[in-house]
Amino acid sequence: MTDTASPATGPQRHRHDAGPTIAILRGGTGDHVEDVIRTLVDSGVSAIEITTNTPRWREGIAWAAERYGSAASIGVGTVLDTRQLDEAAAAGATFAVSPHTDQAIGERAHERGLGWYPGAATPTEIVRAWQLGARAVKVFPAAPLGGPAFLKQVLAPLDFVDVIPTGGIGVDDAAEYLAAGAVAVGLGSPLVGDALTSGDLDALRGRAERLVAGLSR
């Protein structure tokens, strides 16, 4: 891969374009995906990740990419193999997120022109993911690892790495992670709640607007 960064040869910033927050859509019935995406984007959320264990995830990505591709970044999450990445790219995804770091997935993402956000937890894993060409590293699960305090400690020596913490981050906690050095935060159920199952868009809109307002201060 050509888009790599190594501390030994001089750290380089990769181009990160997901915005300050990524809404993670996981699970549900598949019946409310379009309404949930519409509500999130209208509320100011700039990036949507639809995971591969969400019903009809391919159709959701295709719909969102066609309707909102110019207003928000649309990506795929829980990518476990290159086949899923290829399917997401064909549907119109522009970035791919994994809970782990897999070099083959990273190479395929690079070939398909997708931003690659692999998961990592330890400093060793974070640096390795960055060296393999991650556009940003998904620090996961962020809250159980120690939250903003953990992130700040890790980024003290690794300040050349762009990180996107996810996992257990609340709507009102997100700004603390940006203050600790994250380039963006990923929020799943604390933001989406049960909207993918119940279709409760009013509550979703309230959380999304509170999140966006908190991150813009």
Side-chain angles (χ1 to χ4, degrees), residues 46-71:
S46 57
I48 308 292
E49 170 191 334
I50 304 177
T51 68
T52 61
N53 50 2
T54 298
R56 299 194 293 278
W57 63 271
R58 301 167 189 82
E59 292 84 351
I61 290 173
W63 179 87
E66 181 177 359
R67 185 177 181 88
Y68 291 111
S70 61

Side-chain angles (χ1 to χ4, degrees), residues 136-203:
V137 179
K138 170 184 173 175
V139 176
F140 172 80
L145 285 169
F150 169 81
L151 198 66
K152 188 174 182 179
Q153 289 290 324
V154 168
L155 291 181
L158 303 183
D159 59 352
F160 55 89
V161 180
D162 287 343
V163 299
I164 302 176
T166 72
I169 300 174
V171 169
D172 298 318
D173 304 328
E176 296 181 34
Y177 285 87
L178 295 185
V183 296
V185 291
L187 283 82
S189 57
L191 170 62
V192 179
D194 65 353
L196 286 171
T197 301
S198 70
D200 185 352
L201 301 180
D202 289 338

